[in-house]
Each structure stands twice: as C-alpha cells, then as structure tokens.
Amino acid sequence: MSSFEYAIAMWGILIGLAVADLIVSANRLIRHDHGVKWDGRVVVAAILVTLELVRLWFAQWSLTAFDEAMTFPIFLAKFTQVALLAFLASAALPDETPGRIDLTDYYERNRRYFWGLFALAQALYLTLWLLFFSSSVDGAAPAGAIDWFRVIAPLCLFVALAVLRLKWLDWLGPIALVGFYLWLYRGQSIA
C-alpha cells in the first residue's frame, strides 16, 4: 500500500461520514416537513457542501503524482481540510429538534460559523494548492487564470458571506459557485 492509498483511506472515511451526516439530516427535515419553515439558502448551502465533499474526494486522485511528498505535515493539512468540511456538513442542516424548525432563523444564527468554516477550509486548500499545483509540475503547464479564479474566488465569496448580511448574495453566491463547479468539472475523470 502506497502512502497515498493509506492517506486517502482516512480522508475517504471522513468524507463518507460527512456525506452520511448530510443525508441523515436532510432525511429528517424532509420527513419533518409539516413542522419545517423552509429557507432555500440552507438547502443551497447544503448542496454546496455536498458538492465540495464530492469534488474534494474526486480531486484527491490528482495527489497520486505527489506520493513521495506525503509527509506528516502534508497529511495533517489535508486531514484538517477534510475535517473542516466534515464540520461544515454537520452545520449545514439542523440536527433533530422537537417542534417547528425555522430554517431562516437557523441560517441567520449559523451564517458566521458556517461561512467562516468554509473560508478557513478554502484558505487551507489555497495554501496546499500554492504548494503543489500553482506552478509547473513534471512539465505540465503552470496554473492559468481559470485555476487561480477557481481557488481564490470561493475564498472571497465565503469571507463575504460570513461578514455581509446581503440576502441576494446569500442566494446568488452559492448558486453561482455550484454552477461554476459543475461547469468546471464537466469533462473530468478520475483516471
């Protein structure tokens, strides 16, 4: 077993637990529908976290080229990034609560924590990306404008969402990012 295979097994467990948490929480909300005051911002945020978890799992395969660089600090940084996303998955939807669930209230109480965690995870991703992918590797082309945008724009968005209380941004930002990710990864494959 290579160091990469060893590392990805741990990341996969954390990602799987995070996705399972989202699925269980979504199921509880759907089944509790009569007592839920829905707010689409919470749903869009949960979709974004789910997409980010799947995207991260998918992107881990790009690290196979850096198998020899899988030192403890790098492993710990990637572990921390995945753990932050697991925290996000846990915070995206409310836990089981008795009585009526107001998702607008939940979003407003949770926004700084949630988007702050997202910003922290993205800042860590940016750091790792700068270490491994921003310049030419093994003769591959250096990062282009779309790569820089893909890494920096979400960080700016998450900081703005944590700090600003603009309902249009709460909707437009995450929806635009979901659309961008779906467009960006449309032709990607693991192999």
Side-chain angles (χ1 to χ4, degrees), residues 35-131:
V36 176
K37 179 183 173 199
W38 290 93
D39 187 326
R41 295 175 298 171
V42 174
V43 175
V44 170
I47 290 169
L48 181 59
V49 172
T50 304
L51 182 59
E52 187 67 22
L53 286 162
V54 172
R55 188 182 73 80
L56 180 67
W57 170 255
F58 192 83
Q60 297 310 306
W61 291 106
S62 63
L63 293 175
T64 57
F66 301 99
D67 189 46
E68 67 281 351
M70 193 54 62
T71 61
F72 182 74
I74 298 299
F75 174 81
L76 187 59
K78 288 299 297 177
F79 177 85
T80 302
Q81 181 191 18
V82 175
L84 287 170
L85 289 174
F87 275 106
L88 274 168
S90 184
L93 298 170
D95 293 326
E96 190 171 357
T97 56
R100 186 147 174 81
I101 300 169
D102 184 342
L103 291 182
T104 300
D105 181 55
Y106 181 77
Y107 184 84
E108 292 302 329
R109 284 184 293 112
N110 198 35
R111 69 179 305 125
R112 283 185 179 256
Y113 174 74
F114 180 82
W115 295 115
L117 272 177
F118 231 142
L120 188 58
Q122 188 66 22
L124 185 53
Y125 177 74
L126 170 62
T127 303
L128 291 167
W129 183 79
L130 287 170
L131 286 171

Side-chain angles (χ1 to χ4, degrees), residues 48 88 107 111-124 126 151-166 169-170 173-174 177:
L48 181 59
L88 274 168
Y107 184 84
R111 69 179 305 125
R112 283 185 179 256
Y113 174 74
F114 180 82
W115 295 115
L117 272 177
F118 231 142
L120 188 58
Q122 188 66 22
L124 185 53
L126 170 62
V151 175
I152 294 173
L155 177 58
C156 296
L157 173 64
F158 300 149
V159 169
L161 287 167
V163 174
L164 303 174
R165 290 178 102 77
L166 301 171
L169 184 63
D170 291 342
L177 191 55

Side-chain angles (χ1 to χ4, degrees), residues 164-187:
L164 303 174
R165 290 178 102 77
L166 301 171
K167 199 167 189 175
W168 66 267
L169 184 63
D170 291 342
W171 280 97
L172 184 61
I175 289 172
L177 191 55
V178 166
F180 176 69
Y181 282 155
L182 292 174
W183 173 81
L184 186 65
Y185 290 99
R186 70 193 179 285

